[in-house]
């Protein structure tokens, strides 16, 4: 299998880039793939705590780029899953500590040893973003069904295209089907109509995410988590498996059907 | 209670979903147009090229811009005409 460098980005902060990176990476490793998660949010690193690996950091991405250590020394091996590694961001520097050129060299070096190189992109469209996308083959855009998040996703898709990443795929995160049914949240089709990119998956709002972040154990490890199950399906799609996407039609629960019948009768 | 019945019947005011969708549509027209500053300039040059075949226009004072109306965005072009070419009657 040819290795792939995939950047996970969104423009807006707080929509779930880091959670998505952690869960997809863990899920791919659970399927026996060799995975490295690269945190490029220099100065605001968080992928380490979401993964529960914060106590094992010795060197970071800036140390590697500056030649203070070898790449292998900075990689943290996740003991829970064979093949899963984290390259942490530096916490004391800023985004200018690395250049896009250095980032490209780094991801190319990682290609030798890994099937999937998942790059967690910082919020914003400045140098942190340019670093994160520099070595990427593909992009995953994460958006929540909200005006501000979709607007920023649109801008990001434009910037990705300008950088030659023309096949970005979308993950709609934190969808609340109850609100969609009530007509108070945009549905998947609305978002796809606006952004016109390919859908990679839909992750429902799930309290388990807070709990799993509290513990430092990605939700895909928890069988009962709905978000975890959604991430596992997305990971299988990334492996090329034909896993059906959620239906784009409105959900068919009892009250919705009831409402539809009454509406027709009027 | 009445509120719940209305909601089940779908008689409530349009949910905020529709508002979100509409606001996004409008804001993205502006965003996409302003992100590429060339867009309006290129359009302007193209317009001049086409219109010049039909009439003499004041190219210097030609203005092309996006303008917000009530619930839509219009492409508004203000093109001062200097003269009209005489067309042969067919």
């Amino acid at each position: 299998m040819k290795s792939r460098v995939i950047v996970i980005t969104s423009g807006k902060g707080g929509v779930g880039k880091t959670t998505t990176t952690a869960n997809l990476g863990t899920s791919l490793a659970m399927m026996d793939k060799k995975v490295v998660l690269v945190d490029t949010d220099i100065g605001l690193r968080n992928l380490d705590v979401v993964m529960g690996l914060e106590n094992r950091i010795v060197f970071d991405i800036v140390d590697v780029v500056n030649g203070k250590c070898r790449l292998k020394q900075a990689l943290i091996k996740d003991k829970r899953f064979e093949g899963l590694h984290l390259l942490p961001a530096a916490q004391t520097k800023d985004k200018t500590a690395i250049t896009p050129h250095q980032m490209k060299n780094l991801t190319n070096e990682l290609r030798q040893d890994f099937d999937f190189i998942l790059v967690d992109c910082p919020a914003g469209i400045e140098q942190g973003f340019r670093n994160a996308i520099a070595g990427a083959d593909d992009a995953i855009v994460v958006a929540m069904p909200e005006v501000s998040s979709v607007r920023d996703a649109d801008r990001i898709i434009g910037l990705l295209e300008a950088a030659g990443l023309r096949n970005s795929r979308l993950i709609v995160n934190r969808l609340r089907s109850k609100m969609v049914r009530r007509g108070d949240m945009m549905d998947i089709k609305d978002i796809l109509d606006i952004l016109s990119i390919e859908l990679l998956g839909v992750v429902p709002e799930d309290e388990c995410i807070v709990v799993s972040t509290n513990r430092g154990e990605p939700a895909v490890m928890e069988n009962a988590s709905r978000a975890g199950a959604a991430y596992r399906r997305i990971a299988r799609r990334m492996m090329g498996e034909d896993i059906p996407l959620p239906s784009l039609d409105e959900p068919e629960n009892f009250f919705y059907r009831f409402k539809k019948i009454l509406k027709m009768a009027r | 209670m009445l509120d719940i019945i209305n909601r089940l019947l779908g008689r409530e005011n349009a949910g905020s979903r529709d508002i979100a969708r509409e606001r996004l549509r409008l804001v993205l027209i502006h965003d996409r147009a302003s992100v590429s500053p060339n867009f309006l300039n290129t359009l302007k040059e193209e317009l001049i090229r086409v219109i010049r075949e039909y009439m003499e226009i004041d190219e210097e004072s030609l203005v092309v811009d996006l303008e917000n109306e009530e619930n839509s965005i219009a492409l508004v072009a203000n093109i001062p005409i200097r003269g009209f070419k005489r067309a042969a009657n067919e």
Side-chain angles (χ1 to χ4, degrees), chain A residues 50-168:
Chain A
V50 173
M51 291 298 296
L53 298 171
E54 68 273 21
N55 292 327
R56 299 191 38 215
I57 298 177
V58 182
F59 296 110
D60 57 50
I61 191 169
V62 176
D63 295 327
V64 175
V65 164
N66 291 340
K68 278 197 185 153
C69 69
R70 282 176 294 115
L71 176 56
K72 294 242 161 71
Q73 290 176 289
L75 290 176
I76 300 167
K77 190 173 156 15
D78 192 318
K79 289 168 183 162
R80 296 164 296 187
F81 304 100
E82 183 68 34
L84 183 59
H85 295 74
L86 169 71
L87 180 56
Q91 186 68 324
T92 52
K93 317 264 181 10
D94 63 47
K95 311 290 190 262
T96 58
I98 293 185
T99 65
H101 180 70
Q102 289 170 323
M103 188 65 200
K104 199 169 175 178
N105 290 340
L106 180 68
T107 49
N108 279 339
E109 199 178 336
L110 288 167
R111 281 176 203 272
Q112 327 258 316
D113 293 310
F114 295 97
D115 302 313
F116 285 96
I117 297 116
L118 301 188
V119 182
D120 185 17
C121 179
I125 55 174
E126 296 82 18
Q127 186 165 348
F129 170 76
R130 291 198 299 274
N131 286 340
I133 67 167
D137 306 315
D138 296 302
I140 293 175
V141 177
V142 182
M144 280 167 58
E146 289 178 357
V147 175
S148 48
S149 174
V150 175
R151 180 195 200 178
D152 288 3
D154 186 79
R155 181 92 166 86
I156 284 297
I157 293 164
L159 291 170
L160 289 168
E161 280 174 4
L165 291 163
R166 285 170 213 289
N167 45 358
S168 321

Side-chain angles (χ1 to χ4, degrees), chain B residues 47-48 51-52 55-59 62 79-83:
Chain B
L47 277 175
I48 291 174
I51 295 170
R52 226 174 11 203
M55 55 189 85
E56 291 168 38
I57 55 175
D58 182 357
E59 292 172 20
L62 182 144
I79 310 167
I81 302 174
R82 280 205 179 124

Side-chain angles (χ1 to χ4, degrees), chain A residues 36-48:
Chain A
V36 60
L37 310 177
V38 183
D39 189 351
T40 60
D41 202 346
I42 299 166
L44 290 168
R45 77 173 170 212
N46 268 322
L47 190 51
D48 55 337

